Amino acid sequence: MMKMSLSIDGFVGGPKGEKDWVFRSSDEESRAWLLQNTREAGLIIMGRKSFETMSPYWPTATGPLAEAMNEIPKAVVTKNGFKVPPPASPSPAAASWAATQVIDGDLAERIKQLKQEPGNPILAIGGAGFMRSLIDTGLIDEYHLVVHPVLLGAGEPIFTHLTKQFDLKLVAVNACPGGIVIHTYQPA
């Protein structure tokens, strides 16, 4: 399953990658949904850039989402190899991030292998480039598109450059008081 925040006009980041708008419409209900969705994961996968942003942040963060982000095993997807840095502190949270597995090579083949392993679903989070590559594999079982009440006008899309069409069916909609609407789709 993938989770991605989008503006109403379909961007996951502003023209310079800005993502501050994601937090402005957050409310208790949307945060509870995010926590539940994250806790269901057996593995969190993300691109290298997202990993480099998140790995120093989450080990020192507090709260229920931080617990989930620090406890669930993680994998970083990269095209050019990557060496996960050693833990910044001796904490279990930092050690969890340092134990991140690196996925390189053929993305589709590696995702197929991961999906064959027992356990809870794989949760894909991250930036536009990683998500575009993942979508194009056709291996996403569930799309969680978290639409925020903002128009960016320009920015980073994730549904461009697809090599084929993907038909989806809407399986759930959750409208939150702050204006976020979560659309859940599965392959048709």
Side-chain angles (χ1 to χ4, degrees):
M1 67 182 160
M2 65 86 87
K3 178 261 174 204
M4 198 74 200
S5 289
L6 301 137
S7 64
I8 289 175
D9 50 352
F11 298 106
V12 300
K16 297 178 183 172
E18 310 93 324
K19 295 190 181 355
D20 58 320
W21 51 272
V22 170
F23 304 102
R24 290 197 297 261
S25 53
S26 173
D27 59 46
E28 189 174 322
E29 189 174 320
S30 65
R31 288 187 297 273
W33 178 89
L34 176 61
L35 178 59
Q36 177 188 344
N37 184 262
T38 303
R39 282 187 173 157
E40 290 174 3
L43 176 69
I44 298 173
I45 62 171
M46 65 194 82
R48 179 193 50 82
K49 292 177 189 173
S50 294
F51 178 83
E52 289 174 339
T53 300
M54 292 183 192
S55 64
Y57 171 77
W58 284 112
T60 60
T62 58
L65 185 57
E67 290 174 20
M69 290 297 293
N70 290 325
E71 291 172 2
I72 297 168
K74 288 157 281 296
V76 61
V77 177
T78 178
K79 294 178 184 175
N80 301 317
F82 181 70
K83 184 171 173 32
V84 175
S89 73
S91 72
S96 164
W97 284 87
T100 297
Q101 65 178 296
V102 176
I103 298 173
D104 54 10
D106 185 311
L107 178 60
E109 201 53 46
R110 290 293 289 129
I111 295 298
K112 286 178 189 174
Q113 291 170 358
L114 288 171
K115 288 174 75 170
Q116 295 302 314
E117 294 178 11
N120 289 354
I122 299 167
L123 172 61
I125 59 175
F130 163 64
M131 208 55 78
R132 276 192 299 269
S133 296
L134 186 60
I135 292 166
D136 208 36
T137 67
L139 296 173
I140 297 175
D141 296 327
E142 198 162 75
Y143 293 76
H144 296 286
L145 304 179
V146 182
V147 181
H148 294 256
V150 63
L151 294 168
L152 298 177
E156 301 173 329
I158 59 169
F159 297 114
T160 56
H161 304 101
L162 296 176
T163 59
K164 58 187 170 264
Q165 178 177 318
F166 294 98
D167 293 326
L168 304 174
K169 63 181 175 184
L170 182 66
V171 295
V173 176
N174 184 7
C176 301
I180 291 173
V181 180
I182 304 160
H183 300 116
T184 302
Y185 294 92
Q186 294 174 346

